[in-house]
Amino acid sequence: MTEVSTDSTTAEETLAIPFTDLRPALEAVLMVADEPLAAESLASAVGYPTAEVIAALEGLAADYTEQGRGFDLRNVAGGWRFYTREEYASVVEGFVLEGQQARLTQAALETLAVVAYKQPVSRARVSAIRGVNVDGVMRTLLTRGLVEEAGQDHETGANLYRTTGYFLERIGITDLGELPDLAPYLPDLADMEEELTEQVSEKALAAQPEEPASNGDASADGGESLS
């Protein structure tokens, strides 16, 4: 009875997750991986022995090649990952560089403009300027190669971002100095000063406490009787 119990425990430890078909499970994990995965990591994820996982991976790679799929499965630098098949690289490049870039949203364009004029700049600073959270939009710009990391802020430790050479290429300039001047698109300085002055005056008057009418009247009456 003891031996049976031990074997049962070992089996449960090997299959730490619910049992699934090996090949589809590997495909599902590899589909969401953003870096090559070692066979040991894949084995842990799908709950199969490493030797069986390696055999399944090699079988999948052979099947993809035989079927002429647009992608293949490669073991590069000790890790497995899906890659675009070389003969279709031009199609993928055209889609990424042309199709995707042409559909930037208004939010993405506004965020990109802030980075272009304020770089290097942190996400928090961009969010403050736009008045909304820009984390998702920044990820899009990073993915599309229009923005890249540019070190960290010495005071806050926040990551800083700047535009890339590809950004310059896409808008048709060779240097950031060729970006159009923002001054013609900003409000007139005199108008801004006048408006700010009015706002400050209104706030100051609203914040000033009112004097009780009775005290003022008593003081006035007293002054007149003394004279």
Side-chain angles (χ1 to χ4, degrees):
M1 292 297 291
T2 303
E3 293 181 359
V4 173
S5 176
T6 301
D7 292 341
S8 176
T9 302
T10 302
E12 290 178 359
E13 292 176 351
T14 302
L15 296 177
I17 64 174
F19 182 86
T20 57
D21 291 336
L22 178 53
R23 286 194 174 192
L26 289 172
E27 289 176 323
V29 174
L30 288 166
M31 189 65 67
V32 298
D34 57 1
E35 61 183 6
L37 298 177
E40 293 78 10
S41 297
L42 288 167
S44 175
V46 300
Y48 280 84
T50 302
E52 290 186 35
V53 168
I54 293 175
L57 290 167
E58 292 173 345
L60 285 170
D63 287 348
Y64 297 149
T65 299
E66 182 180 350
Q67 295 166 10
R69 297 291 187 90
F71 61 91
D72 58 5
L73 180 59
R74 304 178 200 165
N75 182 8
V76 178
W80 292 82
R81 188 180 184 182
F82 285 125
Y83 292 87
T84 301
R85 203 169 292 277
E86 185 176 356
E87 51 264 42
Y88 301 107
S90 60
V91 177
V92 175
E93 181 179 6
F95 171 75
V96 172
L97 299 186
E98 299 297 334
Q100 289 295 303
Q101 297 298 332
R103 293 194 293 270
L104 284 176
T105 64
Q106 183 66 29
L109 290 171
E110 292 175 3
T111 301
L112 184 57
V114 173
V115 175
Y117 282 95
K118 304 296 288 187
Q119 62 185 306
V121 63
S122 67
R123 291 191 187 193
R125 178 60 176 157
V126 177
S127 295
I129 292 174
R130 290 204 56 229
V132 294
N133 186 291
V134 298
D135 288 354
V137 177
M138 287 292 288
R139 282 194 294 270
T140 297
L141 296 176
L142 285 165
T143 300
R144 298 188 180 184
L146 295 167
V147 167
E148 65 184 1
E149 292 189 2
Q152 294 182 320
D153 185 279
H154 295 299
E155 296 182 359
T156 65
N159 289 332
L160 299 176
Y161 298 89
R162 65 188 175 199
T163 53
T164 63
Y166 180 62
F167 163 76
L168 298 178
E169 177 186 337
R170 292 300 298 173
I171 65 174
I173 63 176
T174 58
D175 186 279
L176 289 174
E178 297 179 39
L179 286 172
D181 188 3
L182 285 179
Y185 304 99
L186 296 176
D188 183 75
L189 183 58
D191 294 339
M192 291 181 65
E193 290 181 350
E194 182 178 350
E195 182 178 350
L196 288 173
T197 301
E198 291 178 356
Q199 291 179 358
V200 170
S201 299
E202 291 175 358
K203 290 181 179 179
L205 290 173
Q208 184 176 358
E210 296 183 1
E211 294 184 359
S214 58
N215 291 342
D217 292 344
S219 175
D221 293 342
E224 289 177 359
S225 62
L226 287 174
S227 62

